[in-house]
C-alpha cells in the first residue's frame, strides 16, 4: 500500500509536469488540478499504509 | 553599484544576520519539547546537524541548486553548477542569496530533529542531513525557480515551501521510519501525553525564532523577489509587519482553540501556533496585505492545533515537537494562502504547482533517501539507550546531572 501510494504521488506530479510542458492556455490548470487530485489519493494510501495494526500498536 | 543598490545590499546583509536567531530558536524549541534525559543530546545534534547542512550545502548543495538570477524577470538561464561556490561574484546583491540559502539549509535541517526527538542517533541524523542538504533541499529550490506557469512563478520568498515544507516532509518520513517512542502508544493505540521537559526553553525559543523569521522573510523579500530597488525598503517593511501580525494572530488563535477544546490554554500548542504563524507568513510575506496576513495566521493557528491532535491520535505519528504540523501542514497552507489572497488565477495555479511538486516529488524523494540510509545505518537508538536517555547513552553525560529527572511515571504500562 505504501509503495502504491508513493507511485501515485509520483504519477500525480508527472501529470502536473506533463501539463506544464505539453499544454497551453486554459487547458493547463484542469490538468494541474487533476494531477493534484491523484497526489491526494496517493497521500491517503501512504498514510493508511503507515497505520499500525491493532496487534502491534504497543 | 549605485546608491539604491548599496542600500539594498546593506538592508539584505542586516536581515541575513538575524536569521541565525531562527536556528537558535528552533533548536531551543526542539530541546524544550523533548525529554530531560535527552536534552544535551538534542542541542548537540542540532549544532552538528546545522554544521553538516552548512558544509554540504557549501560544497555541493548550491551547485546542485544553481544560482538562478532572481533580479531579472524572467530569470536568466542558470549558470553552470560549480562546487565549493566557485564562480560567485562576491559583493553583488545576488551573492547575498548564497548567504541566505546557506542559513536556510541550516534552518531546514533542524526541522526533522523535532519529529525524531528522543530516539534518533547522532550519526544517522548527520548522515540524513547530508543527503537533505545535498539533494532534497536544493532540488526543490532549483525547481521552484524554474517552474513557470502562465501568470506567475511559485512565490515563496521567505521559504514556506522551500525551507519548511521540505523540512516538515522529511520530518514525517523520519518519524515513520523511527516509529513512536517506547511507551507512547498503549496496546489499544491510545497515545500517552509525554510532557515537554522545559516550557521556558520552548517559549523563549519562539521569541528568538520571531527575530530570526523577521530577518528570513525580509531578506527573502529583498533577495528572492524580482523587485526594483525603489520598492525594496517598502517591501521589507511589509514583510516584517506581515510576519509579526501573522504570528501574533496564530498564537492567540491557538490559545483560544486549546482553551475551547481542552478547557485551558496549552503552552506547547500556543508555541506551536506562534511558529505556525511565522511559517505560514513566509510565502506571502512580501505580497499579502496585513489584514490577509492576519487571516493567514488565524487559519494557521486553528490548523496546527487540529493537525497535532490528528497526527498523534488518528495517524499514530509520534512527533514530539509538532514539526510535521507546524512546518509541513502550515507551510503548505502558507503557499496556498499566498496564491489565494494575491487574487490572480495564474498565481494560484503556480502555487498549486509548487504544492504538487512538494508532495509528488520531494516527499517520495526524501522518504526514499531516508529509507535507503536507514538500511545501512540504523536510525533508532537501542531500547536500552532509549530507556537510559540519549544524553548518557550517546554523550556519556546528562544535561542536568544534579537532578533526578529520569521518571517514567507518565507512561502507560
Amino acid at each position: 500500500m505504501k509503495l502504491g501510494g508513493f507511485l501515485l504521488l509520483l504519477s500525480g506530479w508527472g501529470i502536473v509536469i506533463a501539463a506544464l510542458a505539453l499544454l497551453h492556455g486554459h487547458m493547463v490548470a484542469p490538468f494541474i488540478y487533476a494531477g493534484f487530485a491523484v497526489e491526494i489519493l496517493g497521500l491517503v494510501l501512504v498514510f493508511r499504509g503507515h497505520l499500525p495494526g491493532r496487534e502491534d500498536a504497543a | 553599484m549605485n546608491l539604491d543598490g548599496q542600500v539594498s545590499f546593506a538592508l539584505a546583509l542586516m536581515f541575513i544576520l538575524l536569521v541565525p536567531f531562527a536556528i537558535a530558536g528552533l533548536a531551543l524549541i526542539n530541546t524544550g519539547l523533548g525529554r530531560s534525559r535527552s536534552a544535551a543530546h538534542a542541542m548537540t545534534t542540532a549544532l552538528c546537524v546545522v554544521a553538516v547542512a552548512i558544509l554540504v550545502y557549501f560544497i555541493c548543495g548550491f551547485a546542485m541548486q544553481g544560482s538562478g538570477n532572481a533580479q531579472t524577470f524572467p530569470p536568466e538561464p542558470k549558470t553552470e553548477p560549480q562546487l565549493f561556490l566557485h564562480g560567485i561574484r562576491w559583493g553583488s546583491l545576488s551573492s547575498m542569496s548564497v548567504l541566505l540559502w546557506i542559513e536556510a539549509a541550516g534552518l531546514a535541517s533542524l526541522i526533522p530533529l523535532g519529529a525524531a526527538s528522543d530516539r534518533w542517533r547522532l550519526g544517522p541524523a548527520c548522515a540524513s542531513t547530508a543527503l537533505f542538504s545535498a539533494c532534497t533541499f536544493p532540488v526543490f529550490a532549483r525547481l521552484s525557480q524554474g517552474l513557470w506557469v502562465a501568470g506567475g512563478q511559485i512565490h515563496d520568498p521567505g521559504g514556506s515551501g522551500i525551507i519548511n515544507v521540505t523540512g516538515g516532509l522529511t520530518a514525517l518520513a523520519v518519524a515513520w521510519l523511527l516509529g513512536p517512542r517506547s511507551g507512547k502508544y498503549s496496546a489499544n493505540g491510545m497515545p500517552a501525553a509525554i510532557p515537554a521537559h522545559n516550557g521556558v526553553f520552548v517559549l523563549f525559543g519562539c521569541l528568538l525564532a520571531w527575530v530570526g523569521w523577521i530577518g528570513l522573510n525580509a531578506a527573502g523579500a529583498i533577495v528572492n523577489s524580482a523587485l526594483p530597488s525603489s520598492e525594496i525598503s517598502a517591501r521589507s517593511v511589509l514583510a516584517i509587519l506581515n510576519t509579526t501580525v501573522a504570528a501574533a494572530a496564530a498564537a492567540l488563535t491557538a490559545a483560544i482553540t486549546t482553551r475551547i477544546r481542552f478547557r485551558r490554554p496549552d503552552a506547547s500548542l500556543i508555541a506551536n501556533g506562534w511558529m505556525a504563524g511565522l511559517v505560514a507568513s513566509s510565502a506571502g510575506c512580501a505580497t499579502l496585505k496585513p489584514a490577509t496576513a492576519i487571516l493567514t495566521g488565524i487559519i494557521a493557528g486553528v490548523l496546527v492545533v487540529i493537525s497535532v491532535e490528528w497526527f498523534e491520535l488518528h495517524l499514530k505519528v509520534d512527533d514530539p515537537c509538532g514539526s510535521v504540523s507546524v512546518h509541513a501542514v502550515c507551510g503548505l497552507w502558507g503557499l496556498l494562502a499566498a496564491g489565494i489572497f494575491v487574487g490572480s488565477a495564474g498565481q494560484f495555479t503556480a502555487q498549486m504547482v509548487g504544492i504538487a511538486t512538494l508532495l509528488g516529488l520531494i516527499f517520495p524523494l526524501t522518504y526514499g533517501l531516508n529509507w535507503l540510509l536507514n538500511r545501512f545505518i540504523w536510525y533508532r537508538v537501542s531500547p536500552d539507550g532509549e530507556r537510559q536517555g540519549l544524553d548518557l547513552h550517546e554523550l556519556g553525560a546528562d544535561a542536568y546531572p544534579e537532578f533526578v529527572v529520569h521518571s517514567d511515571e507518565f507512561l502507560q504500562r
Side-chain angles (χ1 to χ4, degrees):
Chain A
M1 193 183 282
K2 290 177 201 171
L3 184 64
F6 280 118
L7 287 176
L8 272 181
L9 283 173
L10 285 167
S11 308
W13 187 67
I15 293 170
V16 171
I17 291 303
L20 287 176
L22 303 175
L23 301 175
H24 300 285
H26 294 299
M27 290 302 290
V28 178
F31 275 86
I32 287 174
Y33 299 136
F36 189 70
V38 172
E39 287 187 7
I40 297 295
L41 285 177
L43 215 51
V44 170
L45 275 189
V46 170
F47 273 105
R48 286 186 67 88
H50 279 93
L51 281 178
R54 289 270 173 198
E55 66 281 0
D56 59 4
Chain B
M1 196 184 288
N2 60 19
L3 186 62
D4 276 350
Q6 285 173 352
V7 170
S8 307
F9 189 88
L11 266 179
L13 188 59
M14 189 186 77
F15 289 131
I16 286 170
L17 289 176
L18 294 179
V19 178
F21 284 109
I23 295 175
L26 201 53
L28 268 181
I29 292 169
N30 287 347
T31 303
L33 284 171
R35 300 175 71 177
S36 59
R37 65 177 69 170
S38 302
H41 185 272
M43 218 54 180
T44 310
T45 310
L47 208 58
C48 292
V49 153
V50 170
V52 168
I54 287 172
L55 286 179
V56 170
Y57 191 80
F58 166 77
I59 293 168
C60 60
F62 193 74
M64 181 89 164
Q65 176 183 329
S67 57
N69 186 355
Q71 301 307 308
T72 58
F73 187 85
E76 289 168 359
K78 308 285 183 292
T79 53
E80 284 300 310
Q82 291 182 310
L83 299 177
F84 296 97
L85 302 184
H86 284 311
I88 302 291
R89 196 167 58 81
W90 299 107
S92 64
L93 187 59
S94 60
S95 71
M96 285 278 108
S97 71
V98 179
L99 270 181
L100 184 61
W101 282 117
I102 283 180
E103 291 179 343
L107 179 62
S109 68
L110 278 184
I111 296 168
L113 295 184
S117 195
D118 303 329
R119 59 206 193 281
W120 202 9
R121 295 191 300 124
L122 177 60
C126 290
S128 170
T129 300
L131 284 179
F132 177 79
S133 196
C135 186
T136 314
F137 180 80
V139 161
F140 184 69
R142 181 171 194 129
L143 286 174
S144 69
Q145 293 171 7
L147 282 173
W148 289 81
V149 185
Q153 187 194 13
I154 299 166
H155 192 71
D156 188 19
S160 279
I162 299 167
I163 299 171
N164 291 288
V165 183
T166 51
L169 292 176
T170 305
L172 179 58
V174 170
W176 270 334
L177 291 169
L178 284 167
R181 289 168 290 177
S182 62
K184 176 66 187 174
Y185 290 101
S186 65
N188 62 0
M190 284 308 289
I194 301 178
H197 95 274
N198 194 328
V200 179
F201 275 9
V202 178
L203 298 166
F204 181 60
C206 287
L207 296 177
L208 275 184
W210 175 33
V211 179
W213 241 268
I214 281 174
L216 183 69
N217 287 352
I222 296 172
V223 174
N224 295 333
S225 301
L227 293 174
S229 299
S230 56
E231 268 191 49
I232 280 178
S233 306
R235 287 302 172 99
S236 51
V237 171
L238 183 66
I240 294 169
L241 181 64
N242 282 345
T243 307
T244 305
V245 293
L252 281 179
T253 310
I256 294 166
T257 311
T258 53
R259 173 77 179 77
I260 293 167
R261 278 191 72 79
F262 312 122
R263 294 188 189 168
R264 63 183 66 184
D266 182 295
S268 64
L269 283 173
I270 293 171
N272 276 341
W274 178 267
M275 292 302 295
L278 293 174
V279 167
S281 72
S282 293
C285 63
T287 46
L288 294 182
K289 291 173 182 160
T292 48
I294 290 175
L295 186 57
T296 305
I298 288 172
I299 294 172
V302 176
L303 203 57
V304 75
V305 174
I306 294 170
S307 171
V308 163
E309 192 180 346
W310 189 262
F311 272 104
E312 180 174 304
L313 203 59
H314 300 289
L315 301 175
K316 312 295 182 201
V317 177
D318 183 15
D319 176 7
C321 303
S323 299
V324 180
S325 302
V326 169
H327 298 279
V329 175
C330 292
L332 288 171
W333 160 240
L335 279 176
L336 197 62
I340 293 170
F341 297 132
V342 164
S344 129
Q347 190 57 51
F348 180 76
T349 309
Q351 299 300 102
M352 290 297 287
V353 170
I355 292 171
T357 305
L358 283 161
L359 295 177
L361 177 71
I362 299 302
F363 187 35
L365 176 70
T366 193
Y367 188 93
L369 287 174
N370 280 290
W371 180 84
L372 204 62
L373 191 62
N374 191 32
R375 298 268 142 185
F376 292 104
I377 320 170
W378 189 243
Y379 275 15
R380 185 162 181 143
V381 68
S382 65
D384 274 350
E386 194 177 351
R387 192 169 56 249
Q388 190 181 26
L390 288 169
D391 281 1
L392 276 178
H393 184 71
E394 285 221 293
L395 305 179
D398 258 335
Y400 311 104
E402 290 91 357
F403 303 107
V404 179
V405 289
H406 293 171
S407 148
D408 274 340
E409 70 272 8
F410 49 81
L411 295 183
Q412 301 176 51
R413 300 191 188 278

